[in-house]
Each structure stands twice: as structure tokens, then as C-alpha cells.
Amino acid sequence: MNEIRDFYPLIVLGATFAGIGAAYANKADTLILEGTALAGYEFATAYRIGEGWNEPVLSEVGNNLKMEMRQRNILSDQGEVHIPALAPLMYNRIKEDQLHHLFMATIVSITWEKTRYCVLVHTTSGFMKFFSDQIMDTRTDALSKDFIKSKSINALLYSEEGIPTNRLVSQGTVEFMKGKQKGEIIVSLPIEADDDWSSARAKLHKFWMKRPMEWAAWKILAVGGAFDIRVDQGPVRVMDNWSLLPSAAYRNPLEALEAGLLYAEGKVRLQ
């Protein structure tokens, strides 16, 4: 990776798919700041399968990613996806395409200093300051609960038995969705916007103890490490040259990547 500077014309908050897409618009002059060690977490870590995978992708960046997903057996021609595999793929793309980034960088403050923004972050090496003409926030946690349309906790299931159905809605709200791999199912349990991890996991456990009989042989293999959150699409103005473009607003990672790229290229207007 190229050496990180203290000034970038654009600073992107969140290594989301929209944030990564924005960095592709001008790789040399964009810095991605991510508070966790995760890339594309709003889909990959949340176990959010998404939809609309067979819709046309317009950009070269998006088409290259879609092609690589198929080559690596992550995405099928029918639109089935092994969503957890997207995380290592995106780490590799960030590295190989030399996107300027800093993970484990907690945002402490963003202030306006004379003619530009000053972003103070705390990293494993201590405090660091970055300056920028423009801020683009793609994180969902930047939103208050009033902006959240829906929120779910998802879990990856596994069984050697046959899948009861490709897509089942149980008890009116809970979804069971088929992944790409054999015996791969993701269950999505709706929760409240203000539920934290403790209450969300408790609700998931309670539901699973009373799950429908056709899923009795299935086990929870892993619980998503990020919430599956749906919000309205941006971009929305926060302040002058500071916008909000939540990546989770889009139907799938490729659509989010395209949205970030188009906005950073100046092809999408603020709402």
C-alpha cells in the first residue's frame, strides 16, 4: 500500500462497499477510515445475502468484482451467493488495487479548521490527524434509530439433511434464505432498532429454541458480526462538503459499490 499522508481531498468513513467504491473514483486522493478490522461488513459480516444480483453492472470496477466473484465460486449465474466469502475478497482488492486505508481507526472528532476538515482518529499507534476538503460517510452507525427502516440479526445455519425450502417465511416475519453452498442457509430475525447485541442474541436464541419442526435438524453455525440494517438511500447533506451515503441502503454489494463510485465521480446529486 502507498504511504498514508495527512491530507486527502476526500476522506471516506467506513470500509463499506459504497466506501470502497468511492475510493476507486480517485485512488491516489482518497483515504478510507474504518473503525473496525472489517471490510464490507454491512453485507459480508452481517450475513446479508442481498437481492438483484443479476441486474446489469455499469462500471468497470463493478464488472471486475462480479467476474471475480464468479471465478472464485462466490456467485452463481442464478444469483446465489456465498456472502461470507466476500470479506477476504475485498481485503485482497484493497491491497492489490492500492486503496489508501486505515483500519482500527476510531473517529474521535471531525472539526472545521479554516479551509478544510480535520479528522482526529485513535488507532493502535495512538492519535492521528487527517485533513480533507470533503467527507463522505458510508456507515450505518452514523445514523440515529429514527432513520432505520428495519434491523435484523442473521445467522448461518448448517445441516447434512435436505433443505426444506429455498425461501421460507415463518411466523410472519422470520426469513430462511438459501446460500450458494450445499446445506447453506441464513436465518434472518427482525429485531427492534434500539436492540443491542445482548438483547438481539437473546431474541435469536429464544426463537431458535422454538423454531419450526422442519428446521429441527439444523444448527446455528455462526451469528453475524454486524446487524442487517435497511435505511433510505443517500446521498444526504450533513454539512458543506460532508455527505452521508449509507452503504446498507442498497440491495447488494455490487449496487452499493456502484453508488459510492458514481457519487465520488460527481454523477449523483445530494438529496
Side-chain angles (χ1 to χ4, degrees):
M1 188 190 109
N2 295 329
E3 184 178 351
I4 293 179
R5 311 186 302 269
D6 63 357
F7 173 77
Y8 287 85
L10 173 63
I11 286 181
V12 174
L13 307 182
T16 63
F17 281 94
I20 294 168
Y24 274 106
N26 191 339
K27 295 191 289 184
D29 289 331
T30 304
L31 174 64
I32 301 172
L33 295 177
E34 171 55 51
T36 71
L38 306 172
Y41 50 85
E42 74 282 15
F43 287 96
T45 309
Y47 297 157
R48 178 181 169 187
I49 286 181
E51 56 188 346
W53 284 99
N54 287 328
E55 294 294 323
V57 181
L58 302 178
S59 71
E60 181 180 357
V61 173
N63 272 307
N64 287 343
L65 178 59
K66 189 172 185 178
M67 185 182 303
E68 186 173 2
M69 288 177 66
R70 284 181 170 159
Q71 290 172 345
R72 293 180 179 272
N73 202 30
I74 297 172
L75 179 67
S76 73
D77 292 338
Q78 292 73 39
E80 293 178 328
V81 61
H82 180 48
I83 202 71
L86 269 179
L89 175 59
M90 297 315 296
Y91 288 129
N92 189 58
R93 288 270 52 83
I94 290 171
K95 175 179 178 290
E96 294 299 321
D97 294 337
Q98 299 185 14
L99 303 184
H100 293 241
H101 66 283
L102 187 62
F103 285 85
M104 301 299 291
T106 302
I107 306 298
V108 177
S109 65
I110 301 176
T111 56
W112 180 259
E113 295 191 0
K114 296 182 179 178
T115 61
R116 57 188 183 178
Y117 285 104
C118 173
V119 182
L120 177 66
V121 302
H122 186 268
T123 72
T124 54
S125 301
F127 289 99
M128 301 178 69
K129 276 187 179 182
F130 296 98
F131 299 91
S132 181
D133 296 325
Q134 185 179 359
I135 303 291
M136 176 180 172
D137 195 343
T138 68
R139 304 167 301 167
T140 306
D141 55 11
L143 300 171
S144 71
K145 67 178 183 179
D146 295 332
F147 287 88
I148 296 176
K149 297 168 64 176
S150 68
K151 181 176 178 179
S152 302
I153 182 170
N154 299 347
L156 183 64
L157 308 180
Y158 178 77
S159 174
E160 295 183 357
E161 295 192 2
I163 298 172
T165 180
N166 284 353
R167 188 176 182 92
L168 170 70
V169 178
S170 172
Q171 299 183 358
T173 56
V174 180
E175 287 188 280
F176 292 82
M177 296 162 286
K178 186 179 181 299
K180 184 180 183 301
Q181 305 303 319
K182 181 181 179 181
E184 179 186 4
I185 290 287
I186 291 174
V187 58
S188 181
L189 176 72
I191 55 176
E192 299 298 323
D194 55 359
D195 274 327
D196 58 14
W197 279 106
S198 178
S199 59
R201 285 174 179 268
K203 288 181 177 181
L204 178 62
H205 177 73
K206 182 178 179 180
F207 166 78
W208 197 243
M209 293 298 292
K210 298 180 180 179
R211 63 190 180 276
M213 285 301 298
E214 60 263 38
W215 297 97
W218 289 71
K219 299 179 180 179
I220 293 180
L221 190 63
V223 177
F227 288 123
D228 177 354
I229 296 176
R230 313 298 171 92
V231 297
D232 288 325
Q233 294 183 9
V236 177
R237 178 184 179 275
V238 178
M239 296 177 64
D240 289 343
N241 297 321
W242 182 348
S243 57
L244 182 64
L245 186 82
S247 187
Y250 299 92
R251 294 181 301 166
N252 62 62
L254 295 175
E255 192 175 275
L257 186 89
E258 297 261 288
L261 175 65
L262 290 172
Y263 180 66
E265 289 178 338
K267 297 178 181 178
V268 178
R269 293 183 179 180
L270 288 169
Q271 295 182 8

